[in-house]
Amino acid sequence: MKYSTAILASVALNAGLLLFATTRFGGMQVGGALQGMKSPSIMRTTKANALTRGVGVSASRVLIIQNKGGGHGEIGYHLANKLASDGHSVTIMGDPATKLQSLPFSRYGDLKSKGVTTVFADPCDPYSFANLGQFDVVYDNYAKGKDTCAVAADLAKQWGVSHYGYVSSAGMYKPGNLMPMVETLSVKDTAGQKEVEDHLDRMGLPWTSFRPQYIYGPLTNKRDYLDYFFDRVVRGRPVPVAGSGQQLVTLTHAADVAGMMASIIDAGDKAHRQVFNCATDQLITVDTLIALCAKIAGVPTPQIVHYNPKEVKLEKKAFPFRDNHFFVTPDKAKSELGWKCEHDLEREIKAYYEGYKAIGKDQKSMDFPIDDIILRQVPMMA
């Protein structure tokens, strides 16, 4: 008996059912018991039904407009590295407020050997572009609203670019019971990224929007998603978790995001006026992620303290993930762009942990005042 994706997803989530035996949601296969796991387990979506990428695409002059954020900054690094390796001429325009001594920007100099040019200038000022020439492709890894993309979009229109790639966000989807989230779902009315997408469309640009979710990588300085767990695991502390701990998430390597973005050049007009969710095809529950971090660190799985964030009084949000299911599917990018996820979650978290130790975070003295507030309000099981 077959059921629609919406019915399966909605019923399963509304009923709180977290035990599946190969249940498919919109092309996504979720396998394995999610409760009572004895060892870390990661689930993978169905194999990509990928198309062969085009060949013979000529080298392009590419402009990457880069903001100062550490997560976006690592995406920009990997994107420039990928495009330059593919033979394209790449220029990065970085925010002049960028902290150049901090990762990932302290590594941008490595790109010079690939022929990448880096300048720092205000992308909202037309004069910043005066001496750069014209470009065939623009990647906007900067704008958060119409005003911050206006200059670049106008110039791209004048240049007649073949692609205008935009880094949006999966965080703008409206909360709901349908999982995984697909590109056609409603988004928040207040989302500045949607304002950018709409503006690019009204201008008639050959735009492509990427909506990434929970990005990590070896060069990022936005480390909350994994450091939250390692900081507590290596110190033998209880780990406060908002929600049941069975909520599913995706953690996506920045290089996979960059690989998807780079693929639009080969994809041609198939990528025009399209939105693509940008995430790994591996799913993991929060509790399983904690167990995996403990396994990688070589320590016992710590006590996990689940709490209802609506019942615990905190001045600010403490937990890096949502307290419910929140994950997207990259199936559209697999089928239409020929993209595939190259980075395995467990292998990459092992590498991430080596970096965590290399910067001394495992030995650093830390206080956990917010944890202490949570633990005073939530009974801990003996």
Side-chain angles (χ1 to χ4, degrees):
M1 189 172 186
K2 295 183 178 180
Y3 299 91
S4 72
T5 296
I7 292 174
L8 277 173
S10 180
V11 169
L13 292 172
N14 284 332
L17 299 178
L18 292 170
L19 292 174
F20 297 96
T22 62
T23 301
R24 294 179 185 272
F25 291 163
M28 177 170 289
Q29 177 174 305
V30 180
L34 305 186
Q35 289 182 331
M37 287 184 178
K38 300 301 182 183
S39 61
S41 176
I42 300 171
M43 294 157 286
R44 184 176 291 278
T45 61
T46 53
K47 293 181 179 179
N49 184 19
L51 302 174
T52 302
R53 289 185 183 177
V55 295
V57 176
S58 60
S60 298
R61 292 199 73 227
V62 181
L63 175 66
I64 300 172
I65 304 173
Q66 180 60 57
N67 74 17
K68 63 182 180 178
H72 281 264
E74 184 169 12
I75 294 172
Y77 174 92
H78 290 295
L79 177 60
N81 186 55
K82 167 67 174 169
L83 291 170
S85 297
D86 288 347
H88 301 290
S89 174
V90 181
T91 297
I92 299 174
M93 176 183 284
D95 187 326
T98 299
K99 295 180 179 179
L100 299 179
Q101 71 277 14
S102 300
L103 285 173
F105 305 105
S106 60
R107 294 286 301 276
Y108 271 36
D110 299 350
L111 297 169
K112 188 175 181 180
S113 64
K114 295 284 188 76
V116 175
T117 299
T118 303
V119 298
F120 292 91
D122 181 3
C124 296
D125 183 350
Y127 291 103
S128 297
F129 299 84
N131 297 319
L132 298 181
Q134 298 190 7
F135 294 90
D136 307 305
V137 177
V138 172
Y139 286 99
D140 186 341
N141 196 16
Y142 178 87
K144 299 296 183 184
K146 175 185 173 181
D147 292 344
T148 48
C149 78
V151 170
D154 285 346
L155 287 170
K157 184 75 171 179
Q158 293 175 30
W159 297 332
V161 297
S162 58
H163 293 282
Y164 191 107
Y166 172 60
V167 182
S168 183
S169 172
M172 66 175 167
Y173 288 117
K174 289 182 178 178
N177 290 329
L178 180 61
M179 293 289 158
M181 295 179 292
V182 295
E183 290 84 352
T184 54
L185 291 180
S186 299
V187 300
K188 299 171 185 175
D189 297 333
T190 56
Q193 293 92 343
K194 186 62 168 63
E195 183 181 72
V196 173
E197 293 172 359
D198 290 344
H199 180 64
L200 298 176
D201 194 57
R202 286 193 298 269
M203 290 189 67
L205 282 165
W207 63 273
T208 308
S209 180
F210 301 93
R211 295 177 179 172
Q213 181 183 41
Y214 297 141
I215 307 303
Y216 74 99
L219 304 182
T220 186
N221 61 27
K222 184 178 181 181
R223 304 181 59 95
D224 297 357
Y225 300 135
L226 289 172
D227 282 15
Y228 179 90
F229 302 114
F230 279 124
D231 287 347
R232 291 154 179 81
V233 163
V234 300
R235 292 167 177 81
R237 287 187 57 91
V239 181
V241 170
S244 69
Q246 299 302 310
Q247 61 264 42
L248 289 162
V249 298
T250 57
L251 277 164
T252 306
H253 197 286
D256 280 328
V257 177
M260 184 185 295
M261 293 173 64
S263 70
I264 64 173
I265 295 179
D266 286 353
D269 58 9
K270 290 186 298 183
H272 293 167
R273 303 182 69 188
Q274 296 295 318
V275 174
F276 294 98
N277 285 334
C278 206
T280 180
D281 55 6
Q282 291 179 293
L283 292 170
I284 191 168
T285 69
V286 170
D287 280 2
T288 302
L289 179 58
I290 296 170
L292 178 59
C293 289
K295 173 187 171 183
I296 289 170
V299 298
T301 300
Q303 183 173 10
I304 301 173
V305 180
H306 303 109
Y307 66 94
N308 184 341
K310 295 180 181 179
E311 297 177 357
V312 174
K313 296 179 180 179
L314 296 172
E315 292 184 0
K316 62 179 181 179
K317 179 183 175 182
F319 190 62
F321 297 102
R322 289 165 173 77
D323 61 348
N324 56 349
H325 294 298
F326 191 79
F327 58 95
V328 300
T329 171
D331 285 356
K332 181 179 176 182
K334 288 181 176 184
S335 64
E336 297 188 19
L337 299 180
W339 173 85
K340 64 179 180 179
C341 181
E342 301 284 355
H343 293 79
D344 175 75
L345 183 59
E346 182 169 355
R347 183 178 66 248
E348 296 300 335
I349 292 181
K350 286 180 181 177
Y352 183 95
Y353 180 61
E354 293 304 313
Y356 177 90
K357 292 190 294 181
I359 61 176
K361 286 208 69 178
D362 60 326
Q363 301 297 325
K364 184 179 179 181
S365 177
M366 292 185 182
D367 296 319
F368 298 87
I370 297 178
D371 286 23
D372 294 338
I373 293 172
I374 294 170
L375 297 175
R376 284 197 295 268
Q377 297 182 56
V378 180
M380 294 176 61
M381 301 296 292

